[in-house]
Amino acid sequence: MAIPQDQLDRITPTVDAARASLSKLVQELPFDAESALTFHPDGESEQ
Amino acid sequence: MTMEQAGAALRSGQTTCVGLVQAALARVEELNPKLNAFITITGDQARARARELDIELAAGHDRGPLHGMPIAHKDLVCTKGIRTTSGSKLFADYVPDYDADVVKRLNAAGAISIGKLGLHELAYGVTSSNPHFGAVRNPWNPECIPGGSSGGSGAAVATGMVFMATGTDTGGSIRIPAAYCGTVGLKPTYGLVSRRGVRPLGFSLDHVGPLTRTVRDMELTMAAIADMREVAEPSTLRVGLPEGYYFDRIDPEVKEAVLRAARTVEVVPVKTPDIEALNTVGRVILLAEGSAALENQHARRDQFGPDVLALLDQGRLIPATDYVNAQRLRKQFVDEFRKLFQTIDILLTPTLPMVAPKIGQLTVELAGETVDTRLATTRFVRGINVLGLPALSIPCGFSKSGLPIGVQLIGRAFEDRLVMRFGARLEASMMVHRPGSVS
């Protein structure tokens, strides 16, 4: 399905802006910054 | 009437479980044609369950404060044998063969579900103007949105169709309808209420929580659905009122109502970490996780509404590097907020920068700027999902146009009890008239 142009006009720039902002924030991120992504080697569920 | 009052009436013999359910269904029959809060109404099952619970109570088996209370579930919460659409054409005929954990716990506590509530398609939006099931309407002004994505939950609780409704909150979806509809809404600490059996949107951002009419009813509900930590209340509660961001671009009426609420307690001014940056992190994570969650359905493009489809398309274009780095930034923000919460116990903010916009209104004017309605609506709430902290929205006043305004109380992780205890005090000190007065 083609997405109506008005929806694309609304959403695309906001996503582009979010990515551009993120890029700036990442430039200031220390190389050893930890991630909030977690890995449980014992298979523990986050739920 | 609140759940607490109904419980007292039930135990004094003034009413029965059947009576409470009949009254709730009568209210639904009267108001749902105007508000479209429900997608599915399960009157026969509710009446049958109420009869069972009356027999139990007469035999001395009291399940506690939720015994016999009419409630309803957001329609992405799985209910055994009852269709669970997620507000989506894709799942319009999906009938789960199991109950979500939160449904099991509410059933065990004696609550009676009278149906399934409308929502923004797949919980991916803030308007609840659903292209497949129709727009849910705001009970204070049917031309306005109730907020979303748990819009049906907000409308049903505000109008007294039910005492409590379940909701989910990935970027504000409990607190937004709570504020726009004038109810209490809690996004609990991440993981405190089980997400099992609830259709995911953002795996690391999704929270399940209730909407109620009072904070006391919220406490009763949370005691039934979560194993909350007991928290020792400090002798003096330190309440932080943030400077800057939260009051920069905001409707003056909302600002005044929130500051009036803040004046009823002792507050200290605080500087928060960069909320705009925190929101960016939340948006990037949600775009990626939302598209991942719906990847199996993505090819069925004609089954989606245009706004959700556009978000899903965009989310697939987020590089993995952006997602991973957003999660690294997230950790930094969690640490920064931990430091902030060493100096305060509660952060008090507006829930939303404005009152409910009209259905179909794409932009709002805030401080002379034209802002996208979705971005404006989420700017004070989205970041808190990134942090996973408990956040309670309670009504704090009304605009001149008669629309509700909410104040947001944020606490430390797993200190949900403390947030609610403070919320109850604030609620009592503000004396905002109850949403039950919706006509």
Side-chain angles (χ1 to χ4, degrees):
Chain A
M1 186 180 97
I3 300 170
Q5 191 60 42
D6 65 328
Q7 289 292 340
L8 290 175
D9 289 346
R10 277 185 66 210
I11 290 174
T12 308
T14 66
V15 175
D16 289 346
R19 288 200 59 208
S21 301
L22 185 85
S23 175
K24 282 185 195 150
L25 293 165
V26 171
Q27 282 170 25
E28 292 164 24
L29 197 59
F31 77 92
D32 57 352
E34 289 177 50
S35 169
L37 285 171
T38 52
F39 168 61
H40 297 277
D42 61 355
E44 187 183 311
S45 165
E46 281 195 58
Q47 294 216 30
Chain B
M1 186 187 276
T2 68
M3 191 149 66
E4 193 180 25
Q5 291 163 340
L10 184 65
R11 282 163 191 82
S12 67
Q14 290 171 274
T15 188
T16 61
C17 302
V18 169
L20 289 170
V21 164
Q22 295 284 36
L25 289 170
R27 193 101 172 120
V28 172
E29 195 176 344
E30 177 196 349
L31 293 174
N32 200 53
K34 295 173 200 158
L35 300 177
N36 194 32
F38 280 81
I39 289 178
T40 303
I41 299 162
T42 52
D44 288 346
Q45 291 102 313
R47 278 186 282 265
R49 183 66 182 140
R51 283 193 288 274
E52 290 171 1
L53 287 163
D54 275 332
I55 292 167
E56 276 190 10
L57 202 57
H61 181 197
D62 188 338
R63 292 173 182 249
L66 272 63
H67 191 119
M69 297 298 136
I71 65 157
H73 296 291
K74 185 175 181 179
D75 205 21
L76 48 47
V77 176
C78 283
T79 41
K80 186 176 180 180
I82 298 163
R83 74 168 179 159
T84 299
T85 67
S86 298
S88 164
K89 206 170 172 181
L90 290 161
F91 307 113
D93 300 314
Y94 171 57
V95 179
D97 60 2
Y98 70 106
D99 282 325
D101 282 0
V102 67
V103 173
K104 283 184 197 160
R105 289 190 70 147
L106 285 164
N107 286 347
I112 303 171
S113 174
I114 66 167
K116 305 298 291 289
L117 296 161
L119 66 157
H120 200 102
E121 180 182 12
L122 294 158
Y124 209 170
V126 300
T127 67
S128 301
S129 299
N130 191 302
H132 315 298
F133 298 93
V136 183
R137 294 177 179 275
N138 189 303
W140 299 93
N141 180 348
E143 289 179 14
C144 295
I145 63 167
S149 61
S150 312
S153 305
V157 170
T159 50
M161 295 191 215
V162 289
F163 290 111
M164 187 278 290
T166 53
T168 58
D169 191 318
T170 305
S173 286
I174 288 172
R175 291 158 288 159
I176 293 166
Y180 280 160
C181 293
T183 77
V184 175
L186 176 69
K187 181 198 82 60
T189 300
Y190 180 74
L192 186 62
V193 178
S194 171
R195 300 183 303 279
R196 203 179 304 276
V198 178
R199 184 169 295 283
L201 174 62
F203 301 105
S204 72
L205 300 167
D206 291 340
H207 300 65
V208 178
L211 291 89
T212 57
R213 278 183 241 167
T214 63
V215 180
R216 179 62 189 145
D217 282 359
M218 180 63 71
E219 290 176 310
L220 297 174
T221 303
M222 284 299 291
I225 64 174
D227 301 317
M228 288 185 290
R229 283 184 200 165
E230 195 46 69
V231 182
E233 188 168 342
S235 54
T236 310
L237 209 61
R238 298 164 301 173
V239 181
L241 185 68
E243 297 169 336
Y245 184 82
Y246 284 99
F247 293 100
D248 282 349
R249 274 183 291 163
I250 180 170
D251 179 332
E253 280 191 284
V254 173
K255 182 176 181 177
E256 177 49 36
V258 173
L259 291 178
R260 201 183 315 125
R263 281 196 290 272
T264 66
V265 293
E266 199 173 314
V267 295
V268 290
V270 291
K271 279 197 167 60
T272 60
D274 185 346
I275 305 296
E276 192 89 58
L278 181 64
N279 285 341
T280 294
V281 169
R283 296 196 66 225
V284 169
I285 292 173
L286 178 56
L287 280 161
E289 292 188 355
S291 296
L294 289 155
E295 180 65 14
N296 288 346
Q297 285 78 34
H298 189 256
R300 299 168 68 185
R301 298 177 67 79
D302 61 340
Q303 305 283 296
F304 292 97
D307 62 328
V308 170
L309 187 58
L311 287 166
L312 294 176
D313 281 355
Q314 291 290 327
R316 294 173 102 227
L317 300 175
I318 297 287
T321 45
D322 276 5
Y323 179 75
V324 170
N325 281 328
Q327 293 285 6
R328 293 170 77 209
L329 286 159
R330 181 185 207 170
K331 177 72 170 59
Q332 285 204 326
F333 278 111
V334 168
D335 293 343
E336 285 179 34
F337 269 85
R338 196 174 290 137
K339 281 181 198 146
L340 173 64
F341 275 102
Q342 284 169 0
T343 64
I344 56 169
D345 301 296
I346 300 283
L347 182 66
L348 186 155
T349 79
T351 307
L352 306 169
M354 71 240 191
V355 295
K358 294 271 169 64
I359 291 172
Q361 187 179 334
L362 298 179
T363 59
V364 291
E365 296 292 320
L366 287 175
E369 274 184 59
T370 303
V371 191
D372 179 273
T373 300
R374 189 167 50 90
L375 295 182
T377 299
T378 54
R379 65 196 298 256
F380 299 158
V381 286
R382 180 185 296 286
I384 312 307
N385 293 65
V386 177
L387 306 168
L389 302 178
L392 179 73
S393 180
I394 62 177
C396 69
F398 286 82
S399 68
K400 289 193 188 78
S401 59
L403 290 168
I405 297 167
V407 58
Q408 177 174 236
L409 309 173
I410 304 159
R412 280 184 285 265
F414 298 105
E415 293 195 357
D416 303 60
R417 272 187 202 275
L418 188 64
V419 174
M420 288 189 282
R421 224 171 285 155
F422 175 68
R425 280 213 298 271
L426 189 64
E427 181 185 54
S429 69
M430 290 187 298
M431 300 288 287
V432 176
H433 72 274
R434 294 280 165 256
S437 58
V438 174
S439 59

